[in-house]
Amino acid sequence: MYKLFLTLRYLFARRIAYFAIAAVMLCTAMIVIVNSVMGGFLDKIKAKARGLLGDIVVNNNSARGFPLYGEFITDISKWPEIEAAAPVIFSYGLLSFQDTAILNTVQVNGIDLEKTYRINAFKQSLFYEKYYPGSTTLGVQQQPKLGFDPERSPVSSDSPGEMWVTLPADLLDLLAKSRAAGIEDRETVDSGVNVALRKAGLPTLPGLFEVNIEGATDDPSSDDGSVGRAGYFGDPREGIIIGRDLVAFREKDGRYRRYMQRGRMTILTLLPISDGGSVDAPIKVPLRYADDSRTGIYEIDSKTIYCDFALLQRLLLMDEGERADDSGKIPARCSQIQIKIKPGVDANKLAERLEQHYRSYLEKDLPDVREFERNLLSGIRVQTWEESQAAYIAPVEKERILVTILFAIISLVAAVLVMCILYMIVLQKTRDIGIVKSLGGSSAGVAAIFVGYGAAIGVVGAAIGGTLGYLFVIYINEIQAWLIHINPAWQVWDRSVYSFDEIPNTVRTSDFAIIVVCGILLAIFGSLAAAWRAARMQPVEALRYE
Amino acid sequence: MSNADNLLTAAAIRKHYRMGRSVVPVLTSCDLSVRRGEFLMIMGRSGSGKSTLLHLLGALDTPDSGRISLTAGPQSPEVSVFPATERERNEMRRRWFGFVFQFYHLLPELSVLENVLMTRMVGTSISGWFGGRGAIRRDAIALLEQIGLGARLKHRPAELSGGERQRVAFARALVHKPLLLLADEPTGNLDAESGAKIMALLHDLHRSGQTIVMVTHDMQLTKSADRMLVLENGALQT
């Protein structure tokens, strides 16, 4: 009983112990914060990376792609483990907007939009599809334009020339659907049209659309030719989905300010690669900006565009064709196959089977698969999405571990501090140790007082530090907002630099528990030297200690 | 007088201290018997080894050689105080011996009552403590009231006079009803009045049957003892 009693009494009676508690507390809080922010960052990156892929991906790491994807998808679609599969083509190109000087180098992804929706979270990344569900297509389309509604009043009496603007009827219907579902645009800075509508207390029109001023002459339904009507205009072209950072500025508050109107004409320049590996003549293709995608990863959103799989395959000469010598067909190729698997299926085991299946084509006698195609097939790798993204995720994972280790090493300072403080207390309490031993206290019992003292310091310090760290992480964005409010220069998380709008603020329960336990162990470790000295003291010597 | 009347027996006790390279002999050959219920006083000048002898008798220290044994009751077997393991010596201090020191040696962070209770805490498990805490507290408070400290239960040692602190030390040494009370110059740090009160307390204890061994260098105090031994040149003389 005396061990517990003296441990608690020393804990609360010796003010110097508060310094040790503070050291443990700060270290625990520091590691909880660092681990949680880094871990949250990693989790977000994983979630975002996952959102663009299937559960399993098939690659051959060649810009020429690989053949027989159609046969493969047909085969595996019969497997009970497979939910869906879709081919993808990757290429590079230049993207420009008509009538602007903007020119970007981009990664071009050729996708089958409907199939991609079934495989990953790409649909959730689209802006216009969210507010005008079903309107986004990579097929042939014209530009939707806002028009004036002559039957409605002017926006304000101050500007009698301004009239209400409206969308084409089908888009208005789609917008009504999303509004009914409670979907509101809070991710975009208001366009001029929306500022006026909001000012007038009217519902805004998410996105940026061109107003049909000149279009009056194109529109046969125009009443007098002076006011354009809402509708679709311009040459019909295939659609393109563009990474959001290519069509909008990201403000410091995380919202986007669009500067490209939906349906605007773009020019995509592609560099097809011949079978021999040389670059053929560039191909320019006009495409309409159908929607924009925001995965949340700046590297992707600032460099990637998405167009129709069949179109890109044709432009890059990867579609099926006749051999020059009429000796057969050249099989179509793709760059990747994304596969969604059914819940509960072991992705690693299935990936192995899928790879074996693809490689089995090499053993079959397929007349259209010649030496060139066989070489492409031999490089096939089937991986889970984590494996395929390892090069992207691993550095962040390593950074998280590294930072946590660095801070853990710094935390050893707390252990040394606890050691010094407890050793000092043992020196101060030498006579007390003699008294306790004279009353029959054992060496182990006296040692236990100081180990218990260290543990008590650890428990109190780690509990307070853990709680503070937890609260800090949970309210980290509010804290930053408060700091920015005091002084804008104190912004530590620049939303225009990092991939994510907010500082990750989730605390993993398992990590939290490990850190708190380590905090307690750290303090116990710090108490061992003091406990050892106390245990070894002879009672008579301790009583004589001055 | 038979051996059964002896509570404690020490034979051929030797003890030396090392001071750097030199060896300082303190006890060269001490033989001693403490009779049950006796008030034995050991006299000696400063540095003669009185406190060392007391510590050895109370299993607080170990001699270089010799033998110390204790017989708890007339029918009880003789138990070796030395040689004995550390664990056995801890147990003996906890059960059979009570120490009073010249400089009180109270725990400063604890109240008067807690200092006294500490003796009982040392020998009690957590569950045992919470099971019998009421009775233990009552015994301790009764003892403190008996020695005139009933109004000082919650005071810290720093808030007490020297005489009061020494009485607390007595209460701490007696609360577990030891077979032998070992007092190391208990009046050495007190004024005459306080010293007299402490001696009166010792007499009361002696009258109630408590066996006491006290060491002192004050010749005046030896008058009240049943027996007096003088420690000189490392050996006891009558």
Side-chain angles (χ1 to χ4, degrees):
Chain A
M1 177 63 204
Y2 72 104
K3 292 165 250 179
L4 178 66
F5 182 80
L6 286 178
T7 295
L8 295 176
R9 183 51 59 93
Y10 285 166
L11 185 69
F12 296 112
R14 308 292 303 176
R15 284 191 189 159
I16 197 166
Y18 297 162
F19 289 100
I21 289 172
V24 175
M25 179 190 83
L26 288 173
C27 286
T28 307
M30 182 173 70
I31 295 179
V32 165
I33 292 166
V34 167
N35 184 276
S36 298
V37 172
M38 291 296 292
F41 191 63
L42 181 66
D43 287 345
K44 279 196 171 190
I45 282 180
K46 279 184 177 174
K48 298 290 180 185
R50 170 73 184 84
L52 294 175
L53 295 169
D55 300 311
I56 293 174
V57 290
V58 182
N59 288 300
N60 75 336
N61 295 321
S62 167
R64 292 167 177 158
F66 53 90
L68 303 181
Y69 66 87
E71 290 84 339
F72 180 74
I73 290 172
T74 305
D75 286 353
I76 66 165
S77 295
K78 295 169 194 159
W79 293 16
E81 300 95 333
I82 306 296
E83 184 87 41
V88 183
I89 290 178
F90 300 124
S91 185
Y92 293 91
L94 297 169
L95 181 75
S96 62
F97 288 87
Q98 202 172 41
D99 304 325
T100 70
I102 297 170
L103 181 67
N104 296 294
T105 55
V106 291
Q107 177 178 317
V108 187
N109 290 9
I111 57 171
D112 181 316
L113 195 59
E114 289 304 320
K115 284 183 182 170
T116 303
Y117 283 173
R118 299 215 306 270
I119 287 170
N120 59 36
F122 185 67
K123 188 174 187 178
Q124 284 75 53
S125 77
L126 302 178
F127 178 81
Y128 289 103
E129 182 63 21
K130 184 176 178 184
Y131 302 104
Y132 308 94
S135 68
T136 298
T137 171
L138 296 177
V140 174
Q141 57 195 273
Q142 290 178 283
Q143 182 177 21
K145 288 190 178 181
L146 295 169
F148 297 107
D149 186 350
E151 293 173 12
R152 303 192 71 171
S153 309
V155 169
S156 71
S157 55
D158 298 335
S159 53
E162 286 186 31
M163 304 295 287
W164 299 117
V165 286
T166 187
L167 280 164
D170 60 330
L171 288 182
L172 276 181
D173 289 345
L174 296 174
L175 180 60
K177 276 187 195 171
S178 68
R179 278 204 187 117
I183 298 171
E184 293 286 334
D185 179 16
R186 294 193 180 87
E187 54 188 319
T188 321
V189 177
D190 279 344
S191 62
V193 166
N194 281 336
V195 168
L197 289 171
R198 203 181 287 281
K199 197 174 167 187
L202 292 169
T204 55
L205 305 170
L208 186 65
F209 296 90
E210 205 166 300
V211 181
N212 180 30
I213 296 170
E214 302 85 5
T217 54
D218 299 334
D219 188 356
S221 64
S222 177
D223 289 337
D224 55 12
S226 62
V227 178
R229 283 206 171 271
Y232 292 91
F233 304 92
D235 295 336
R237 298 289 180 194
E238 275 95 349
I240 186 172
I241 294 169
I242 302 175
R244 187 165 304 169
D245 289 286
L246 290 165
V247 291
F249 290 120
R250 189 185 168 95
E251 298 286 345
K252 291 226 177 250
D253 63 0
R255 292 189 302 161
Y256 281 88
R257 186 183 294 278
R258 284 160 201 288
Y259 57 86
M260 283 299 159
Q261 299 90 345
R262 191 181 193 191
R264 183 86 178 253
M265 191 74 90
T266 67
I267 306 294
L268 177 63
T269 306
L270 292 164
L271 300 170
I273 299 169
S274 71
D275 289 355
S278 59
V279 177
D280 283 354
I283 299 168
K284 283 190 175 184
V285 55
L287 299 163
R288 288 207 180 272
Y289 158 38
D291 206 334
D292 53 75
S293 160
R294 180 169 174 257
T295 63
I297 299 174
Y298 182 76
E299 284 294 303
I300 295 171
D301 296 340
S302 64
K303 289 191 174 98
T304 311
I305 63 163
Y306 309 84
C307 63
D308 184 63
F309 174 79
L311 172 71
L312 188 63
Q313 191 181 46
R314 193 173 68 247
L315 294 170
L316 294 174
L317 311 174
M318 291 171 77
D319 58 340
E320 191 178 78
E322 296 292 333
R323 295 199 185 271
D325 56 1
D326 283 338
S327 61
K329 290 189 172 178
I330 302 169
R333 283 171 284 140
C334 72
S335 308
Q336 187 181 72
I337 301 171
Q338 297 186 348
I339 301 165
K340 183 177 174 66
I341 61 175
K342 290 196 172 146
V345 175
D346 184 333
N348 288 302
K349 284 184 181 168
L350 185 59
E352 282 177 29
R353 279 180 57 207
L354 288 166
E355 187 164 315
Q356 282 168 10
H357 186 76
Y358 221 123
R359 286 175 180 278
S360 72
Y361 293 142
L362 283 167
E363 292 153 19
K364 290 181 181 170
D365 182 23
L366 299 167
D368 290 334
V369 178
R370 308 274 170 88
E371 189 61 30
F372 173 69
E373 284 81 18
R374 297 185 81 83
N375 285 338
L376 295 177
L377 279 177
S378 63
I380 288 285
R381 292 284 178 274
V382 182
Q383 297 172 302
T384 63
W385 72 270
E386 287 110 324
E387 287 168 344
S388 70
Q389 294 294 298
Y392 181 53
I393 293 169
V396 185
E397 178 90 59
K398 281 179 183 164
E399 198 174 334
R400 183 177 80 101
I401 294 168
L402 183 70
V403 172
T404 305
I405 289 172
L406 284 176
F407 277 83
I409 290 168
I410 293 168
S411 298
L412 287 178
V413 174
V416 174
L417 189 62
V418 171
M419 195 183 290
C420 293
I421 288 170
L422 287 180
Y423 206 82
M424 209 161 79
I425 290 172
V426 166
L427 290 179
Q428 287 177 348
K429 294 275 135 202
T430 298
R431 196 173 287 173
D432 289 16
I433 292 165
I435 294 166
V436 170
K437 286 195 169 180
S438 76
L439 297 176
S442 63
S443 295
V446 170
I449 292 172
F450 289 94
V451 173
Y453 193 25
I457 286 170
V459 168
V460 175
I464 298 172
T467 307
L468 287 178
Y470 178 83
L471 291 174
F472 190 90
V473 171
I474 296 298
Y475 293 105
I476 195 164
N477 289 293
E478 285 79 359
I479 291 168
Q480 189 192 224
W482 177 69
L483 287 173
I484 295 169
H485 178 70
I486 294 171
N487 183 350
W490 290 349
Q491 180 169 4
V492 288
W493 183 270
D494 189 340
R495 296 166 201 220
S496 64
V497 172
Y498 293 98
S499 295
F500 307 111
D501 298 341
E502 294 190 325
I503 306 171
N505 63 345
T506 49
V507 179
R508 286 190 203 175
T509 311
S510 57
D511 286 1
F512 180 82
I514 289 168
I515 293 166
V516 168
V517 169
C518 286
I520 296 168
L521 292 177
L522 192 83
I524 291 173
F525 174 74
S527 72
L528 292 180
W532 175 249
R533 182 183 159 88
R536 283 172 56 88
M537 268 180 198
Q538 292 302 312
V540 173
E541 287 169 22
L543 288 169
R544 285 188 185 135
Y545 184 81
E546 294 291 338
Chain B
M1 187 162 291
S2 69
N3 281 342
D5 290 329
N6 287 338
L7 176 66
L8 188 87
T9 309
I13 299 297
R14 288 166 62 87
K15 179 73 177 175
H16 74 274
Y17 288 117
R18 266 184 198 285
M19 307 280 281
R21 287 186 178 182
S22 58
V23 175
V24 180
V26 181
L27 303 174
T28 50
S29 181
C30 281
D31 297 289
L32 167 75
S33 296
V34 181
R35 291 192 282 271
R36 219 174 296 282
E38 181 184 29
F39 187 170
L40 173 65
M41 212 167 277
I42 299 171
M43 269 284 293
R45 54 187 170 74
S46 290
S48 59
K50 306 183 293 292
S51 296
T52 300
L53 179 61
L54 203 71
H55 294 154
L56 296 175
L57 296 179
L60 204 56
D61 201 356
T62 51
D64 301 335
S65 62
R67 184 175 161 72
I68 305 168
S69 58
L70 183 140
T71 311
Q75 307 301 321
S76 305
E78 189 179 78
V79 177
S80 174
V81 177
F82 181 83
T85 64
E86 188 188 336
R87 191 190 181 92
E88 288 165 342
R89 283 188 283 120
N90 292 341
E91 181 65 19
M92 287 173 206
R93 289 201 297 274
R94 199 149 56 215
R95 290 176 60 194
W96 293 335
F97 300 121
F99 285 95
V100 177
F101 304 100
Q102 182 180 355
F103 296 104
Y104 332 125
H105 289 336
L106 300 175
L107 296 170
E109 275 98 355
L110 273 53
S111 68
V112 165
L113 179 60
E114 287 165 345
N115 262 290
V116 175
L117 289 174
M118 183 52 60
T119 307
R120 301 296 303 272
M121 284 187 200
V122 168
T124 314
S125 65
I126 293 174
S127 57
W129 177 258
F130 285 106
R133 187 174 52 169
I136 295 169
R137 271 177 67 89
R138 275 196 299 278
D139 288 351
I141 291 169
L143 184 58
L144 284 164
E145 283 172 344
Q146 197 184 324
I147 60 172
L149 289 170
R152 307 287 241 163
L153 299 181
K154 292 186 176 173
H155 287 234
R156 293 285 171 91
E159 296 164 343
L160 304 178
S161 68
E164 286 172 325
R165 288 184 208 181
Q166 196 59 294
R167 278 187 280 158
V168 176
F170 268 98
R172 183 181 64 189
L174 294 166
V175 71
H176 61 305
K177 299 183 174 61
L179 292 176
L180 180 59
L181 178 66
L182 298 155
D184 186 1
E185 304 214 36
T187 60
N189 205 33
L190 301 176
D191 58 48
E193 188 186 343
S194 300
K197 281 182 183 171
I198 291 297
M199 286 312 296
L201 177 60
L202 278 167
H203 283 301
D204 288 347
L205 288 169
H206 178 221
R207 272 198 292 277
S208 66
Q210 178 68 53
T211 310
I212 303 168
V213 175
M214 176 177 149
V215 298
T216 181
H217 64 276
D218 188 347
M219 196 66 188
Q220 293 293 319
L221 300 178
T222 58
K223 286 182 278 182
S224 47
D226 290 338
R227 189 156 65 103
M228 187 191 77
L229 297 171
V230 178
L231 184 59
E232 205 169 58
N233 298 325
L236 285 167
Q237 291 156 11
T238 50

